[in-house]
Amino acid sequence: KPDVADVQDLIIEAWSPCKLVKVTDFKKTNGVAQGNSYKMAISFKLELLQDVAEEDAWGSKIPEDKASFPLANESGPEWEKRRHELNAVREAAMSRRDRFWSESCPGPVSQGVLAFIAAFDGQNGSALKKGDAVERVSEFTMIKSEQGWIPR
């Protein structure tokens, strides 16, 4: 049966563009034979290698008077103006976060970054500290080759 060692380097390589994290604590959490293939789940941790400022992790704070959108049942020019104004404020607040993560974790892993920071749910709105870690799970379908198990 395939094991962690068959995909560990693949996972490390996938996250290598992200210089903020290191991949640790690999574990095979499940596996099932499926005819000529084998499906397995691998859990691993992404550990922060440096502190991340609150504004970089989550975006700038949105002023209290700009925090809520107008009610959906409202309409008219004033409602549209307010909605556009609030959208602009939110976009500006998120621009620092988006720039930080796209520069720190470029390439295909940038798609996983929002899920990664969302995993710090209990810390939303506070700085992230070096050593903080989140667990991720990936599934692989493996096939037997002449040189062992390989991901399909």
Side-chain angles (χ1 to χ4, degrees):
K1 293 180 187 176
D3 203 6
V4 170
D6 296 304
V7 295
Q8 184 171 331
D9 288 345
L10 184 69
I11 296 169
I12 291 170
E13 184 179 327
W15 281 94
S16 67
C18 188
K19 303 303 180 198
L20 289 177
V21 299
K22 72 176 177 180
V23 189
T24 64
D25 298 341
F26 293 90
K27 293 181 188 114
K28 181 177 173 182
T29 58
N30 204 356
V32 62
Q34 296 181 321
N36 294 332
S37 65
Y38 188 89
K39 189 172 188 174
M40 67 177 178
I42 303 294
S43 72
F44 55 92
K45 287 186 179 175
L46 297 171
E47 181 182 326
L48 285 172
L49 296 173
Q50 68 184 53
D51 292 346
V52 178
E54 175 183 343
E55 294 82 8
D56 290 332
W58 312 107
S60 302
K61 293 217 182 296
I62 296 173
E64 195 69 34
D65 66 326
K66 309 280 190 220
S68 61
F69 276 88
L71 298 174
N73 62 355
E74 295 178 15
S75 62
E78 284 300 314
W79 179 84
E80 279 296 318
K81 179 181 173 191
R82 175 83 171 147
R83 189 175 65 80
H84 286 295
E85 177 184 305
L86 294 177
N87 276 335
V89 167
R90 288 177 185 269
E91 285 178 25
M94 295 298 123
S95 67
R96 178 174 169 172
R97 178 199 71 177
D98 295 345
R99 185 175 53 256
F100 173 80
W101 288 108
S102 68
E103 291 171 0
S104 301
C105 293
V109 325
S110 65
Q111 298 300 312
V113 166
L114 290 180
F116 166 65
I117 62 172
F120 283 103
D121 189 36
Q123 297 178 38
N124 192 341
S126 61
L128 303 176
K129 300 292 181 202
K130 179 179 179 178
D132 285 349
V134 293
E135 188 170 306
R136 306 291 296 152
V137 176
S138 291
E139 289 189 353
F140 296 88
T141 300
M142 309 295 289
I143 56 173
K144 186 91 168 165
S145 75
E146 292 176 0
Q147 297 185 6
W149 291 95
I150 58 172
R152 183 184 305 179

